């Protein structure tokens, strides 16, 4: 029996290269090794203001982009969180064993409360409890995520431990798996690449738009003139070269940037070309998938069906242990 892997992505906007390098690439890499469940977490996405008319399109979009990026539905289970009601049922139970103090420490909660001062709702606060329920409902053991989620996975271990101690051993303590690029910075070079900050390149961005975005992206800010030597170690775009460009190109840039033999524009052109080359197959596959809504519905329904069966079993076990039958 393969170990179970669980991960989730919010349908809260365009999937970007930060999601790809930080999480999706790792999901694809591990797909044969684990029994993989990938969840489009719509109940998490509604903790911030959104347009109900947009949500369905975003869910299909998240499914299509991830499949295009390599999540083969023949090899893994892809489903929508709200299609399996047990996620919120188990979250409620976990709410009763999660100290408020632990939730107050969550940096994502603190950041999001600052970003959305007009809507600091209880769902935003208990978000990591629902995330724990997502994973433990299927007894997920490994969770590939970006660095921003590590604190949430730590909390999920604490909740699993607490439940097991109080009611009896049921749950594993999930372990995060980080990629080689756990925190991609945005094009401003200052903040984490994020859907809500608009500082990203989408995974299905057009070649023109990739170039437009890269051409204004922040590089080594100490390099004011073309003749100034640059420092790749502190250049955000050099980091992106490491994931999109060829080994010889990266090695060369690492030298000629420091000697001012190459300017930022030329360097960005190389990155842009490589990014387009890398993302074009994903774009083409996405275009095909997004047109075929019936096939996406079918994939998501098949996924939900499998997950509902597993979820029901876990809830019977949980309720028995808790004396709720
Ligand atoms: P989200 O878009 O918040 O649903 O995130 C989906 C996955 O992408 C999670 O595993 C995140 O940790 C990861 N992720 C999001 N932004 C970044 C980033 N800038 N760098 C690396 N990983 C990221
Ligand atoms: N909170 C995660 C994010 O913002 C998404 C998520 C929800 C998730 N449930 C999960 C990730 C379970 C891993 C496992 O990126």
């Amino acid at each position: 029996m393969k170990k179970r892997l669980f991960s989730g992505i919010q349908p809260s906007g365009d999937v970007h290269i930060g999601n790809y390098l930080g999480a999706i690439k790792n999901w694809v890499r591990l797909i044969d090794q684990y029994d993989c469940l990938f969840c489009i977490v719509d109940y998490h996405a509604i903790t911030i203001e959104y347009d109900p008319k947009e949500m369905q399109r975003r869910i299909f979009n998240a499914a299509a982009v991830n499949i295009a990026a390599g999540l083969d539905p023949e090899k893994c289970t892809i489903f929508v969180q709200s299609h399996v009601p047990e996620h919120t049922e188990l979250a409620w139970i976990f709410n009763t064993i999660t100290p408020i103090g632990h939730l107050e420490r969550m940096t994502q909660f603190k950041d999001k409360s600052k970003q959305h001062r007009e809507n600091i709702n209880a769902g935003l606060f208990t978000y990591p409890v629902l995330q724990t329920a997502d994973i433990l409902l299927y007894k997920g053991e490994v969770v590939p995520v970006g660095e921003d989620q590590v604190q949430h996975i730590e909390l999920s271990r604490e909740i699993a431990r607490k439940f097991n101690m109080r009611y009896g051993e049921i749950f594993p303590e999930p372990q995060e798996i980080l990629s080689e690029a756990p925190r991609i910075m945005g094009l401003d070079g200052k903040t984490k690449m994020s859907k809500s900050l608009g500082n990203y390149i989408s995974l299905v961005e057009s070649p023109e738009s990739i170039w437009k975005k890269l051409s204004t992206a922040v590089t080594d800010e100490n390099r004011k003139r073309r003749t100034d030597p640059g420092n790749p170690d502190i250049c955000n775009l050099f980091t992106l070269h490491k994931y999109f460009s060829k080994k010889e190109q990266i090695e060369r840039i690492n030298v000629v940037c420091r000697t001012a033999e190459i300017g930022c524009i030329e360097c960005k052109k190389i990155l842009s070309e490589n990014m387009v080359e890398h993302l074009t197959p994903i774009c083409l596959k996405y275009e095909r998938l997004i047109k075929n809504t019936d096939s996406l519905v079918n994939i998501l329904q098949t996924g939900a069906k499998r997950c509902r069966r597993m979820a029901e079993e876990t809830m019977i076990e949980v309720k028995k242990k808790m004396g709720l039958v």
Side-chain angles (χ1 to χ4, degrees):
M1 276 255 288
K2 286 180 182 171
K3 279 191 182 179
R4 184 153 296 143
L5 176 152
F6 188 99
S7 203
I9 189 159
Q10 298 190 65
S12 53
D14 295 331
V15 177
H16 53 69
I17 58 171
N19 298 129
Y20 178 64
L21 298 172
I24 302 168
K25 249 179 111 175
N26 237 356
W27 302 352
V28 177
R29 184 175 67 82
L30 298 168
I31 209 162
D32 291 317
Q33 216 172 314
Y34 293 93
D35 174 12
C36 297
L37 307 184
F38 296 104
C39 186
I40 299 169
V41 291
D42 50 352
Y43 277 161
H44 278 110
I46 62 171
T47 56
I48 54 169
E49 223 47 71
Y50 74 101
D51 180 357
K53 289 198 285 295
E54 282 281 299
M55 189 49 105
Q56 198 173 67
R57 192 189 56 79
R58 283 183 173 187
I59 290 172
F60 284 135
N61 194 53
V65 176
N66 282 289
I67 296 169
L71 286 194
D72 181 351
E74 299 285 323
K75 291 187 177 177
C76 65
T77 300
I78 307 171
F79 72 108
V80 179
Q81 187 183 34
S82 66
H83 294 179
V84 186
E86 284 85 355
H87 284 250
T88 42
E89 195 180 357
L90 186 58
W92 174 255
I93 290 171
F94 287 161
N95 269 327
T96 66
I97 58 168
T98 307
I100 287 184
H102 286 19
L103 296 175
E104 279 167 345
R105 283 206 297 269
M106 295 294 127
T107 52
Q108 183 170 309
F109 172 67
K110 289 189 223 166
D111 291 348
K112 286 204 175 170
S113 320
K114 270 187 221 142
Q115 276 171 31
H116 306 278
R117 276 184 207 284
E118 70 302 334
N119 181 21
I120 307 177
N121 60 78
L124 195 61
F125 187 58
T126 59
Y127 177 115
V129 180
L130 178 59
Q131 182 163 351
T132 301
D134 295 341
I135 304 165
L136 295 184
L137 192 53
Y138 308 100
K139 304 187 180 175
E141 290 182 72
V142 294
V143 188
V145 282
E147 191 188 60
D148 60 343
Q149 295 303 313
V150 172
Q151 199 184 29
H152 289 168
I153 311 302
E154 273 165 12
L155 180 70
S156 75
R157 285 197 284 277
E158 282 175 49
I159 295 176
R161 210 172 306 139
K162 193 138 179 207
F163 185 99
N164 290 343
M165 255 164 37
R166 183 171 299 180
Y167 297 112
E169 266 318 299
I170 295 189
F171 297 118
E173 290 182 23
Q175 188 60 51
E176 69 274 5
I177 299 185
L178 293 181
S179 76
E180 53 180 7
R183 186 182 164 86
I184 294 291
M185 299 304 282
L187 297 172
D188 51 11
K190 293 185 182 66
T191 48
K192 191 193 69 159
M193 186 171 284
S194 136
K195 291 168 189 166
S196 56
L197 297 176
N199 59 0
Y200 62 81
I201 290 182
S202 142
L203 208 49
V204 292
E205 196 92 45
S206 70
E208 300 75 42
S209 182
I210 289 181
W211 170 243
K212 206 166 155 202
K213 288 189 175 180
L214 283 180
S215 61
T216 53
V218 175
T219 54
D220 167 8
E221 286 189 301
N222 298 325
R223 192 174 189 194
K224 303 255 184 303
R225 269 163 277 139
R226 167 70 181 80
T227 46
D228 293 342
N231 181 359
D233 301 334
I234 56 166
C235 176
N236 186 36
L237 292 195
F238 185 66
T239 312
L240 292 180
H241 269 292
K242 287 186 196 156
Y243 303 114
F244 289 101
S245 298
K246 292 160 197 83
K247 198 162 164 266
E248 318 80 70
Q249 291 174 317
I250 301 164
E251 281 167 4
R252 179 173 164 265
I253 289 166
N254 197 14
V255 175
V256 293
C257 169
R258 293 176 202 276
T259 53
E261 285 166 81
I262 190 172
C264 288
I265 302 276
E266 195 189 330
C267 191
K268 284 174 169 182
K269 277 198 178 129
I270 298 171
L271 178 60
S272 180
E273 273 168 25
N274 289 324
M275 229 183 240
V276 170
E277 192 181 318
H278 200 99
L279 300 185
T280 299
I282 298 178
C283 272
L284 293 174
K285 196 158 179 209
Y286 166 80
E287 297 294 342
R288 275 202 310 278
L289 288 162
I290 202 69
K291 279 191 207 123
N292 193 348
T293 322
D294 287 351
S295 155
L296 290 174
V297 168
N298 195 18
I299 290 166
L300 297 175
Q301 277 179 347
T302 309
K305 216 161 138 193
R306 173 172 186 232
C307 289
R308 276 198 292 267
R309 264 201 319 274
M310 294 191 276
E312 272 171 28
E313 273 175 28
T314 306
M315 287 314 296
I316 290 172
E317 220 180 324
V318 166
K319 285 181 180 172
K320 257 195 200 145
K321 291 273 191 212
M322 295 178 75
L324 295 172
V325 272

